[in-house]
DNA sequence: GTCTATAGAACGATAGAC
DNA sequence: GTCTATCGTTCTATAGAC
């Protein structure tokens, strides 16, 4: 049980506070205080507050991408024509798994991702993010194959719907507490049901 | 064509900047500059930056609530047992209508709502919001009646899914531009298809 | 109702001792 | 790698003239 190093403590504290208050709302002072580190530590370890943010985001996003990618590999190794529900499970499942660390860490990540999704400019834009684009493109192709009647635009709309439902999960609409009677395991299953039906809907008629 | 008064110009500018940069990222200076008003104008007209935010949010949310409420009234006046697709249309439709002012005003409101959804504490919490709670409860009852097999918790999960899909609409995942080939009219119809199928899914088995 | 001017606090970043 | 000290900037809020 070696104690976490300062760098990790800073990442933890920053993940918490960026999710809770946003980038501008979380000061370096608040982050270093929560991390039990010195004010100058952010500059030393990450260079700037903005670079700390990208490090935090990468740490949250990378395992999700890896799990999504591995899930698709596994699916395609078994059959060239996966079911819609299998694709939904492989794509949306990791979003819930990674955000379901029992404690409030899941809701925190969920909020962080929502903030990034909704942020058009914030110091977020320089973030590389080629990995998740690749993963998304691969799922786009797989869904297009499973749902050949759907136009590319409507398919894209639906995939963004998956992201939306997953991102908003565990973020309460009106206050900080999760809705009553929610366990993340149940939410995960509800989401698969909800999203499989949604993805499988026939194309919208003109 | 009377020119808008300072108060309205401040609300417009604040709506823009809060959506674009978040509450902490939008300074009073930036807001008053964009509004063509004086730095002291926010204090005079709204008392504080936080109260300006609640005024902005109320102005965005109120017409949506009113349209949702009127839509449900109209539906229930016609039949005591509306279809799921009609309920989805009445609930989700106004979210798209109010956010579809052709120009980028829609995306702006969409982003603002996303920020509020994802914000557990921000100066948002004191906001009264009894109206939208009432509307949501009425739809909850109507959906429960149309989908009697669904548990209250799973139904609640699904209604939040509607909000998620609507809120994320027109917010691009990775940069400020809307996805290719999107018109808000098409997005509205795609969403009704997507969400009707999702709401109509059978309950998740245990 | 609009302006100038400023108080008072918090901010990000960094230089330099240890 | 960690600390103190501080620079220069920006922030919200408000007092008071017009």
């Amino acid at each position: 049980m070696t104690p976490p190093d300062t760098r990790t403590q800073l990442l933890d504290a920053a993940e918490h506070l960026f999710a809770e208050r946003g980038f501008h709302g979380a000061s370096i002072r608040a982050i270093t205080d929560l991390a039990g580190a010195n004010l100058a530590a952010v500059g030393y370890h990450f260079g700037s507050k903005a670079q700390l943010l990208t490090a935090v985001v990468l740490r949250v996003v990378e395992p999700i991408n890896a799990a999504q990618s591995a899930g698709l590999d596994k699916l395609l190794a078994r059959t060239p024509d996966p079911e819609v529900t299998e694709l939904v499970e492989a794509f949306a499942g990791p979003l819930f798994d990674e955000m379901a660390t029992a404690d409030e860490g899941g809701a925190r990540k969920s909020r962080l991702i929502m903030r990034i999704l909704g942020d058009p400019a914030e110091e977020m834009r320089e973030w590389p993010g080629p990995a998740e684009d690749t993963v998304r493109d691969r799922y786009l192709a797989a869904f297009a194959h499973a749902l050949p009647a759907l136009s590319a635009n409507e398919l894209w709309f639906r995939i963004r719907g998956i992201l939306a439902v997953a991102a908003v999960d565990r973020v309460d609409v009106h206050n900080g507490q999760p809705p009553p009677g929610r366990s993340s395991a149940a939410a995960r299953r509800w989401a698969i049901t909800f999203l499989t039906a949604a993805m499988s809907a026939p194309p919208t008629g003109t």
Side-chain angles (χ1 to χ4, degrees), chain A:
Chain A
M1 212 53 182
T2 66
D5 59 0
T6 299
R7 203 190 135 88
T8 303
Q9 302 244 101
L10 285 172
L11 285 170
D12 291 342
E15 179 181 308
H16 190 146
L17 291 174
F18 284 151
E20 219 70 18
R21 310 183 192 169
F23 179 76
H24 297 287
S27 69
I28 289 187
R29 285 171 164 81
I31 291 166
T32 50
D33 280 2
L34 183 61
N38 186 271
L39 173 60
V42 164
Y44 177 78
H45 285 282
F46 299 95
S48 71
K49 186 183 174 185
Q51 287 170 276
L52 170 60
L53 174 63
T54 74
V56 166
V57 171
L58 279 179
R59 196 180 62 155
V60 169
V61 163
E62 258 170 358
I64 295 176
N65 279 323
Q68 286 176 325
S69 189
L72 187 54
D73 290 342
K74 198 171 153 189
L75 220 50
L76 292 177
R78 193 171 52 68
T79 165
D81 306 293
E83 308 276 346
V84 171
T85 187
E86 293 174 313
L87 289 171
V88 168
E89 164 93 34
F91 184 69
L95 291 166
F96 287 84
D97 296 335
E98 294 294 332
M99 297 196 211
T101 47
D103 60 1
E104 48 95 41
R108 190 193 310 160
K109 286 183 193 164
S110 186
R111 260 196 286 273
L112 183 66
I113 288 187
M114 260 204 81
R115 287 203 192 264
I116 297 159
L117 282 183
D119 217 313
E122 211 150 295
E123 281 66 2
M124 202 15 53
R125 288 305 137 216
E126 76 248 25
W127 155 36
E132 56 278 6
D133 282 351
T134 302
V135 173
R136 204 139 50 217
D137 285 350
R138 291 183 63 210
Y139 273 96
L140 200 67
F143 273 113
H145 184 255
L147 299 162
L150 226 54
S151 76
N153 285 338
E154 188 164 7
L155 178 58
W156 180 232
F157 175 89
R158 292 190 185 183
I159 289 191
R160 301 183 70 225
I162 299 179
L163 290 173
V165 170
V168 171
D169 178 58
R170 310 203 54 189
V171 174
D172 191 18
V173 178
H174 240 161
N175 56 55
Q177 303 153 2
R182 292 280 298 290
S183 85
S184 53
R188 193 197 140 114
R189 287 185 289 112
W190 292 339
I192 305 295
T193 305
F194 184 90
L195 292 170
T196 298
M199 292 302 290
S200 305
T204 302
T206 55

